[in-house]
Amino acid sequence: MQIGCHVSIRHGYLGAAQAALAVSAGAFQYFPKNPRSLAVKRFNRQDAAACRQYCEEHGIISVAHTPYPTNLSVDDRQLYEQTVASVRNDLEIADACGSLGVVVHFGKYKGTATDPLFGYRAMIEMLDEILADWEGKALLLLENNAGQGGKMGTTFEELTQVRSLIRLPQKVGFCLDTCHLFASGVWNGENQDEMLSRAGELGYVDHLKVIHLNDSQYPSGSHRDRHASIGRGQIGENAIRALLTAPPLADLPVILETPVPDGGSHRDEIQYVKELIARGNDAG
């Protein structure tokens, strides 16, 4: 299991990979462009190629994340077109950097349609358009929602059903966020076996590519997306250790999105997670 964290690209894509290695990360996540904008970025392909080569040389896995405004379920045509162009741009950058894929949150419909299925249909339409002519290796990785601001995308059933309904499902995988899973109520820290069994039955685990590892500031079922440092939230280290060492998840790359200590880095927390996993394996 390769464990890492989110890093900045302020020093370029190669700089991000170097920053990850500097804190002993075996994986890292990055925003391929301004995280607060859907504007398409003209990126430095030489820098991206250098990032790819550096990661290959050091055995590092990278994954990109779409900007915050990205929403796959919108009915405003101008915003729809901006989002399609933005996500295609993210895929192109991720592919150039040699990244596993681009993480994007499951859609949140906030339009005026009264049909509860409209948001899902809009999302499927957008995914089809984004991926229609995509020929790169980078996948689009759908991330489960916590349920904050709407309950779309909290269940394995929704995630796998949307993937099955798009034209090119082979271009889509999944990203599992542990805080979101807990906050949604799908996982309560004690129902791991039942939860993973259901995920396996639905085919979710077969296409799961990366884990966002976060503790939660709020209880299971709160639908509040507030990350906490590992072992210092409502999930706790025992439940996190058990989840990470469960056979379906044990070989996946793990990305921390937890708070960074003032003036510090994720180095100590990465080491802590490695120790948690080692203790779990020893106990098994």
Side-chain angles (χ1 to χ4, degrees):
M1 180 174 282
Q2 290 170 278
I3 302 161
C5 56
H6 191 97
V7 297
S8 169
I9 62 164
R10 70 168 58 92
H11 298 302
Y13 303 119
L14 173 58
Q18 291 171 331
L21 189 63
V23 295
S24 301
F28 72 95
Q29 178 177 269
Y30 63 98
F31 288 116
K33 57 195 180 201
N34 184 343
R36 295 175 178 80
S37 173
L38 295 177
V40 170
K41 176 178 179 177
R42 293 181 62 185
F43 65 99
N44 185 327
R45 291 185 176 275
Q46 288 183 323
D47 181 34
C51 173
R52 174 194 287 266
Q53 182 176 348
Y54 188 86
C55 289
E56 289 174 352
E57 290 174 352
H58 295 277
I60 301 172
I61 294 174
S62 69
V63 61
H65 197 299
T66 58
Y68 297 122
T70 307
N71 184 358
L72 296 175
S73 185
V74 295
D75 57 5
D76 178 272
R77 199 62 199 178
Q78 181 178 359
L79 181 56
Y80 175 98
E81 291 173 357
Q82 287 178 332
T83 305
V84 168
S86 177
V87 177
R88 283 178 171 169
N89 183 223
D90 295 334
L91 281 167
E92 185 179 9
I93 295 171
D95 206 52
C97 288
S99 300
L100 182 64
V102 178
V103 175
V104 58
H105 289 179
F106 197 96
K108 291 183 180 181
Y109 181 66
K110 300 177 182 179
T112 58
T114 56
D115 182 350
L117 294 179
F118 183 88
Y120 296 96
R121 289 199 294 266
M123 182 175 170
I124 291 166
E125 178 186 351
M126 183 181 287
L127 286 170
D128 281 341
E129 186 166 347
I130 289 169
L131 297 170
D133 56 359
W134 175 241
E135 297 180 353
K137 293 182 179 180
L139 299 172
L140 200 58
L141 303 173
L142 294 179
E143 180 177 351
N144 57 309
N145 286 339
Q148 185 169 326
K151 303 301 190 290
M152 281 182 68
T154 60
T155 68
F156 297 130
E157 286 81 0
E158 292 169 272
L159 288 150
T160 53
Q161 182 73 344
V162 163
R163 184 181 182 276
S164 72
L165 290 173
I166 63 175
R167 295 193 189 101
L168 299 168
Q170 69 274 19
K171 298 183 180 183
V172 171
F174 300 120
C175 168
L176 180 67
D177 187 295
T178 57
C179 174
H180 298 177
L181 189 68
F182 188 76
S184 70
V186 172
W187 180 40
N188 61 20
E190 299 177 355
N191 64 335
Q192 172 186 296
D193 292 345
E194 176 185 352
M195 176 195 70
L196 290 179
S197 176
R198 182 59 177 158
E201 291 170 2
L202 291 166
Y204 176 86
V205 172
D206 294 338
H207 305 289
L208 181 58
K209 303 299 181 182
V210 63
I211 296 172
H212 281 176
L213 183 61
N214 305 295
D215 212 318
S216 174
Q217 292 185 23
Y218 294 99
S220 177
S222 66
H223 300 294
R224 301 186 70 175
D225 180 14
R226 294 293 183 273
H227 298 181
S229 297
I230 305 305
R232 298 184 181 181
Q234 296 289 320
I235 301 175
E237 69 170 31
N238 289 336
I240 288 174
R241 179 174 59 239
L243 187 70
L244 289 181
T245 54
L249 310 184
D251 295 325
L252 294 171
V254 171
I255 304 292
L256 292 165
E257 295 180 318
T258 53
V260 182
D262 290 340
S265 73
H266 275 105
R267 178 190 292 275
D268 290 344
E269 194 169 19
I270 289 170
Q271 182 59 36
Y272 169 59
V273 173
K274 289 179 180 178
E275 293 170 0
L276 270 185
I277 293 169
R279 294 207 302 269
N281 289 333
D282 289 345

